[in-house]
Amino acid sequence: MPIVVDIDVLMAKRKISVGDLADRIGITPANLAVLKNGRAKAVRFTTLEALCEVLECQPGDLLRWEPETS
């Protein structure tokens, strides 16, 4: 998938656990894991906003596009 999710990178930089981040943004740890591992098909803007607020970042810090290699 050409959209890469870098939530785990920011979590490591901010030294925050999956459980703590999930609590602070209001989703379950399982749903955060789906987002974090790039398996989500969509993300709500409210969730993206909460992630940016808690991780003190911009949406582009969390998501990036990489071309597919054939």
Side-chain angles (χ1 to χ4, degrees), residues 39-52:
R39 292 178 295 167
K41 298 293 181 196
V43 60
R44 293 178 185 261
F45 280 155
T46 54
T47 302
L48 186 58
E49 179 182 358
L51 282 165
C52 288

Side-chain angles (χ1 to χ4, degrees), residues 5-51:
V5 182
D6 287 326
I7 294 173
D8 54 346
V9 173
L10 287 167
M11 287 175 58
K13 286 181 181 177
R14 307 296 192 266
K15 296 183 171 94
I16 188 168
S17 69
V18 170
D20 189 31
L21 182 58
D23 285 343
R24 292 175 64 185
I25 66 173
I27 65 173
T28 65
N31 283 339
L32 179 57
V34 168
L35 277 174
K36 188 172 85 68
N37 296 325
R39 292 178 295 167
K41 298 293 181 196
V43 60
R44 293 178 185 261
F45 280 155
T46 54
T47 302
L48 186 58
E49 179 182 358
L51 282 165

